[in-house]
Amino acid sequence: MFSSYNIALDPMIAKLRLHAEVSDHDRDAMLALPCVLRIVDKRRSLIRNDNTPEYGAIILKGFSFGHKTTRDGLRQIVSFHTPGQIVNIQQLFLKSFDHEIHAMTKCEVAMIPLSALRHLALSRVSITMALFAQAMVESSIYRQWMLNVGRRDARSRVAHLLCEFVVRLGDEGIAPGRAYYIPMTQQQIGDAVGLTSIHVNRVLRAFINEGVLFKKGSEVRFLKWEKLQDVAGFNSRYLHVGDPVEGVDYSNDAGHQRQ
């Protein structure tokens, strides 16, 4: 059943505000979007390959990942999704979907009719820019992942993925010894960085033995954060956190004129 005003969409708005200026009027307009809340169990599919979704899927709680599979059944994870992310933002502009999205953990997902989201984007320039900025940040992440798989060694690949994931959770100022929830399995890490799970296990064990991190299940403590960044060659600039375009005039925004 659709909700006429749903503050459950606040994680999406918070995510958009990392990269673009989103006013309170924009927030109200987005909260008024019709949406259905859906629970997706761990390892279940959110969106299937070659599907034509009618809904935009926003992760509210939990984590998911996108992947492509070769004809021989080999999987490459191409993205990890954190709360607030629209996992199929390309559907605003493209009809079909070209990869699959699976729940990495149990997820709470908001499903918004793409027609409603598209109409809102076309009527408010500021929201268009916010959505476009998210898509551009995802492209920036893809480029970094390509560099990671193509040119970094195994230690650097795993270290870079860990650094990125924690920063995307909003914790660039890492507190030494603090526990962070990192739900990827060693197989999933391997599928993201082009390594076997055995190789990933060796790399993680080396980091543990060197006192760089402590890991127990999905709980990870970064004991030497600066060293991990150094191994990774990590610079968070490509994530564009808190990097909105300034000085943009929205006075001709049709949505603002109707307020």
Side-chain angles (χ1 to χ4, degrees), residues 27 30 44 53 66 73 77 87 115 122 134 136 138 142 160 196 199 218 228 233 235 244:
R27 175 181 180 272
M30 285 188 280
R44 303 294 292 181
I77 290 179
V87 301
S115 57
L122 292 175
Q134 180 181 318
M136 292 302 96
E138 291 182 9
Y142 289 146
H160 201 280
T196 66
H199 204 158
S218 297
L228 190 69
N235 185 324

Side-chain angles (χ1 to χ4, degrees), residues 137-153:
V137 171
E138 291 182 9
S139 295
S140 181
I141 293 172
Y142 289 146
R143 288 190 290 273
Q144 192 63 234
W145 277 39
M146 183 177 294
L147 176 64
N148 208 34
V149 172
R151 293 300 177 185
R152 293 191 175 106
D153 62 25

Side-chain angles (χ1 to χ4, degrees), residues 11-233:
M12 175 186 73
I13 297 165
K15 181 75 74 176
L16 293 174
R17 279 176 165 166
L18 291 176
H19 313 297
E21 295 182 0
V22 178
S23 70
D24 290 339
H25 289 304
D26 295 329
R27 175 181 180 272
D28 291 343
M30 285 188 280
L31 291 181
L33 285 167
C35 75
V36 173
L37 299 184
R38 176 186 171 197
I39 301 298
V40 181
D41 290 331
K42 182 178 179 180
R43 294 189 292 270
R44 303 294 292 181
S45 175
L46 271 75
I47 304 175
R48 296 188 180 279
N49 189 29
D50 293 329
N51 199 353
T52 306
E54 296 180 359
Y55 295 89
I58 299 94
I59 302 295
L60 302 179
K61 295 179 182 179
F63 302 90
S64 65
F65 63 88
H67 69 95
K68 294 183 75 72
T69 306
T70 69
R71 183 173 57 184
D72 299 327
L74 300 176
R75 182 177 72 176
Q76 178 68 42
I77 290 179
V78 297
S79 58
F80 287 123
H81 311 125
T82 57
Q85 193 165 350
I86 307 171
V87 301
N88 61 331
I89 195 169
Q90 72 181 67
Q91 302 310 129
L92 286 173
F93 312 104
L94 301 173
K95 183 178 180 180
S96 60
F97 202 63
D98 59 15
H99 60 289
E100 299 206 18
I101 306 292
H102 275 75
M104 184 159 54
T105 66
K106 185 176 182 179
C107 292
E108 182 178 334
V109 183
M111 309 295 288
I112 299 176
L114 284 167
S115 57
L117 188 57
R118 190 177 296 116
H119 176 77
L120 182 61
L122 292 175
S123 64
R124 301 181 71 94
V125 175
S126 51
I127 292 178
T128 304
M129 290 192 65
L131 294 170
F132 190 71
Q134 180 181 318
M136 292 302 96
V137 171
E138 291 182 9
S139 295
S140 181
I141 293 172
Y142 289 146
R143 288 190 290 273
Q144 192 63 234
W145 277 39
M146 183 177 294
L147 176 64
N148 208 34
V149 172
R151 293 300 177 185
R152 293 191 175 106
D153 62 25
R155 279 171 58 88
S156 298
R157 292 184 202 182
V158 175
H160 201 280
L161 184 66
L162 293 175
C163 289
E164 176 186 293
F165 193 80
V166 174
V167 171
R168 288 177 63 189
L169 293 178
D171 291 304
E172 187 167 2
I174 300 301
R178 173 180 164 183
Y180 292 87
Y181 177 61
I182 300 184
M184 297 96 77
T185 66
Q186 291 179 11
Q187 182 66 56
Q188 290 166 346
I189 292 174
D191 286 350
V193 300
L195 298 171
T196 66
S197 58
I198 293 175
H199 204 158
V200 171
N201 181 269
R202 290 173 182 164
V203 171
L204 292 175
R205 284 187 177 277
F207 285 145
I208 292 170
N209 292 337
E210 295 165 17
V212 175
L213 58 82
F214 170 83
K215 188 177 188 301
K216 183 177 180 181
S218 297
E219 178 186 296
V220 179
R221 299 177 187 270
F222 297 96
L223 307 178
K224 297 180 181 178
W225 173 246
E226 291 182 357
K227 181 174 180 179
L228 190 69
Q229 289 185 98
D230 184 61
V231 170

